[in-house]
Amino acid sequence: MLAAVAGTLPAALASREPSHAVSALLIHGALDGLAPIGGGWSRRRGPNGELRGRTLSLDETAARWREIDRFPPGIGGTAVAARTLPDGGHSWPGMPAGPGWREPVSQEFDAAEEICRFAVPLAIPAAERRRDR
């Protein structure tokens, strides 16, 4: 199981084929100024000022995990969910912004609680999530 806050899939990893299906909860702010919800190049820069890399959009990332998990219905009961926060930026939902942080922080829900609610019923043994079955 994975949960990503502002964590769309790097395009360089999109063709990888994991050995097991993976449930995924993807949470992304529509106003994210560092990792755009629509994909493209990260706004973060590397040590020499270079762009860090291209990412898929939130929708493309969710679609890729659904493809990996062979939806519908998903291998071994896996699930993929994508949540868009219209008022959220590159931040952790439900927490106050830190000093000097300029990205908007959504208070729609607490990301940690939402991740736990998603994960608990999806604690599926690895043997049931093998993709070579």
Side-chain angles (χ1 to χ4, degrees):
M1 199 309 245
L2 74 88
V5 175
T8 51
L9 188 63
L13 300 178
S15 64
R16 297 281 177 103
E17 293 291 336
S19 62
H20 292 74
V22 178
S23 290
L25 173 59
L26 310 168
I27 302 169
H28 211 100
L31 305 176
D32 191 322
L34 297 174
I37 194 169
W41 293 92
S42 169
R43 303 301 191 267
R44 293 265 183 179
R45 301 268 176 181
N48 299 314
E50 74 278 7
L51 291 173
R52 288 276 183 155
R54 193 176 73 75
T55 62
L56 303 182
S57 70
L58 177 63
D59 290 341
E60 291 169 323
T61 298
R64 179 62 183 128
W65 283 113
R66 288 181 181 113
E67 179 184 351
I68 288 168
D69 291 356
R70 298 188 187 131
F71 273 61
I75 298 170
T78 55
V80 175
R83 296 276 312 261
T84 300
L85 297 168
D87 64 340
H90 194 81
S91 54
W92 190 267
M95 294 297 293
W101 189 248
R102 295 174 194 225
E103 290 277 319
V105 180
S106 176
Q107 297 300 319
E108 185 176 327
F109 58 81
D110 180 294
E113 290 177 4
E114 190 72 10
I115 291 166
C116 287
R117 269 194 292 278
F118 182 80
V120 168
L122 295 170
I124 302 165
E128 295 177 31
R129 296 181 291 107
R130 289 197 56 82
R131 296 180 70 233
D132 60 0
R133 299 180 356 179

